Amino acid sequence: MLRHSRFRRFLVGQSTSLLGSGMSTIGATFAALQLPDGGVDAVGLVMAVRILAVLAVLLLGGVFTDRLGARSVMLTADLLRFAAQGVLAVLLVTHSAQLWEIVVLAAVLGIGEGGFSPGLTALVPGLVPAEDLADANSLLQTAQAVASVVGPGVAGVLVAVSDAGTVVAVDAVSYGVSALALAGLHLSQPVTPRRGLFTDLGRGWKEFTSRTWLWVTTLHISLFNFVLWAPFLVLGPALAQQRLGGASSWGLVLALYGAGSVVGGLALLGRNPSRALAWSMAASAGWVLPAAALAARLPLACVAAAAFPAGAGAAACNTLSTTVIQREIPAEVRGRISAFDSLGAFALGPLGLALAGPVSGAVGAERLLAFGVMWQLTAVGAVLALPSVRRHGATPQLDVVR
C-alpha cells in the first residue's frame, strides 16, 4: 500500500493532522477553563459551537467537493483550520484571549472540519487502485485510532509543562503539514456540470435515497449514536468516578478502545471480504460490549477488556462501510453522498449527549445503558435481515442492489 507515492504523501499529512486534532480538544478545554470568565459552562459552549459549525457546513462541503475537487476543498479547509488555531495559539500564549474569541475561532475550526470531511471519502479513490481501497482505508483508520490514544496523552504533558497555547500551536502546525501534503498532490478532477446549490443538493439526495443499503445503514449508525454511544460517553465517566476508580480508570477504558481500533484496522490489511457491507454492520454490534459491562456493574477489568473488541469492531465498521461507498458511488456525487452520510450519522449525537444526563436521572444510568445495548443488538439484526444489506456484494450482479 505504501508503494503508492501519492497515498503515502497524503497519509503522512493526514496522520500529522489527526495527531494535532487528538491534542486540540485538551488544549481548547483547558484554555476555556483557565479564562477569568471560563469554567465548565465555557467548555460546553466551545465544544457545542464547534460541533454545530461542522454540521452546518457538511452539505455545502459536499457540494463544493463535487464541483471543485476534493483536493482543492480539503486544502482550503486545512488552511482555514491552520489560521484559526494559529490565531488562537497567539491569543493564548500572550494571555489576551477572551471567551468570545475562543468561541468564534471554534466556529471557524468547525467550518474547516465540516468542509474537509466529505473530501476525505472522495479523495482516496484517486490515490490508489480500486483493489487497494480497503487497505488504504484500514491505514487511515489505524492512524486515526493511534492519534486518539497518543494525542490526548501528549497534550496533557504539554499543558502540564507549558500551557494550553502550546498545544493549540502544535495543532496549528499539524494542519500546515497536512496542507503541504495536499498541495503536492496532482489529481485530475472530472468535469461536473454546475447547477444551482439546491439543484446539486437535490441530485445528491436523490442518489443517496435511491440506495436502500446506504440510507438504512446511515440511519442505523445515527440511532446508535443517539441511543447508545452518546449515553455511554456521558455516563461512562460518571460511573467510573462513582465505582471504578475515577478518571484514570476511564482513561484506561478509552485507551483499550483505541488500542482495539488500531488492531482492528491493521487486521483488515490485505483482506477484501465479499459482503463487506454486511460484515460492517455485524461489526457494529461490538459497540455494545463496554456499555453492557457498565450496565451489569462489572468491575473495571471487565469494562476495560470489553472496550478492546468494541474498538476493533469500530475500525472494521468504519473501514468497510467507507470502502463500499468509495467503490459504488459515482465520483461526480461522492462528496455529496459522503456529506449526507456523515450528517445523517452524527446529527442526533449532540441531542443524545444533552439528553443522557436528564434521562438517566429519571430511569437510572444502568437501565439507560441496558436499553441502548438491547436497541443496538436488535437494530443490527434488523439491518442484516434486509436483502439489500445482507446480500450486498455477494455477486457482481448484486453489487448494485438498491
Side-chain angles (χ1 to χ4, degrees):
M1 172 52 54
L2 295 178
R3 67 184 181 277
H4 303 297
S5 60
R6 290 187 298 182
F7 176 76
R8 185 170 63 246
R9 182 186 186 96
F10 175 69
L11 180 63
V12 170
Q14 178 67 358
S15 298
T16 305
S17 175
L18 288 170
L19 181 61
S21 298
M23 299 168 60
S24 66
T25 300
I26 301 295
T29 297
F30 279 93
L33 286 173
Q34 293 169 2
L35 289 175
D37 55 346
V40 176
D41 291 343
V43 172
L45 176 62
V46 171
M47 289 185 173
V49 166
R50 179 175 172 178
I51 293 173
L52 290 174
V54 171
L55 296 177
V57 303
L58 263 175
L59 296 181
L60 193 61
V63 170
F64 282 111
T65 293
D66 290 334
R67 285 184 178 183
L68 307 176
R71 172 189 166 276
S72 299
V73 176
M74 294 167 73
L75 178 58
T76 302
D78 266 343
L79 292 174
L80 186 64
R81 295 190 289 182
F82 170 77
Q85 293 299 82
V87 171
L88 179 58
V90 171
L91 292 173
L92 293 175
V93 169
T94 59
H95 304 288
S96 59
Q98 299 182 48
L99 179 58
W100 72 267
E101 294 171 325
I102 295 179
V103 170
V104 170
L105 291 171
V108 175
L109 183 65
I111 290 171
E113 291 174 347
F116 187 92
S117 179
L120 186 58
T121 300
L123 179 75
V124 176
L127 303 179
V128 299
E131 62 270 17
D132 288 336
L133 275 175
D135 283 353
N137 289 318
S138 295
L139 287 175
L140 289 169
Q141 177 66 39
T142 301
Q144 182 174 5
V146 171
S148 70
V149 175
V150 176
V154 174
V157 172
L158 287 177
V159 169
V161 302
S162 181
D163 55 26
T166 303
V167 176
V168 176
V170 172
D171 186 33
V173 171
S174 76
Y175 289 128
V177 172
S178 178
L180 288 174
L182 287 166
L185 295 178
H186 301 287
L187 301 170
S188 59
Q189 168 66 15
V191 178
T192 303
R194 298 188 184 185
R195 306 175 180 88
L197 175 62
F198 291 107
T199 300
D200 282 345
L201 285 174
R203 165 77 192 285
W205 179 248
K206 182 178 179 180
E207 292 282 349
F208 179 80
T209 56
S210 68
R211 295 166 169 82
T212 301
W213 61 268
L214 180 57
W215 68 259
V216 164
T217 54
T218 300
L219 179 62
H220 168 60
I221 298 300
S222 179
L223 292 175
F224 150 74
N225 279 316
F226 177 65
V227 177
L228 177 61
W229 201 240
F232 175 75
L233 292 177
V234 172
L235 301 178
L239 293 175
Q241 184 68 34
Q242 292 174 15
R243 55 182 171 81
L244 296 180
S248 60
S249 299
W250 186 243
L252 175 63
V253 172
L254 295 183
L256 282 175
Y257 179 86
S261 298
V262 173
V263 172
L266 293 176
L268 286 174
L269 290 175
R271 302 179 186 277
N272 193 16
S274 61
R275 304 198 188 197
L277 187 66
W279 281 111
S280 170
M281 293 299 99
S284 72
W287 272 307
V288 307
L289 296 173
L294 283 174
R297 302 182 67 87
L298 296 181
L300 173 61
C302 295
V303 178
F308 186 88
C317 178
N318 294 333
T319 298
L320 294 175
S321 61
T322 299
T323 302
V324 171
I325 290 175
Q326 289 169 338
R327 285 177 173 167
E328 303 206 9
I329 300 301
E332 62 269 17
V333 294
R334 200 175 284 143
R336 280 165 286 177
I337 292 296
S338 176
F340 279 118
D341 181 55
S342 296
L343 183 62
F346 296 110
L348 292 179
L351 180 61
L353 292 171
L355 292 177
V359 174
S360 68
V363 305
E366 284 84 2
R367 287 184 179 179
L368 180 57
L369 290 172
F371 174 78
V373 168
M374 296 306 299
W375 170 274
Q376 180 68 0
L377 292 175
T378 302
V380 169
V383 170
L384 290 176
L386 295 174
S388 60
V389 175
R390 185 179 68 255
R391 300 175 185 172
H392 191 276
T395 67
Q397 288 74 28
L398 289 174
D399 277 348
V400 292
V401 169
R402 299 183 179 182

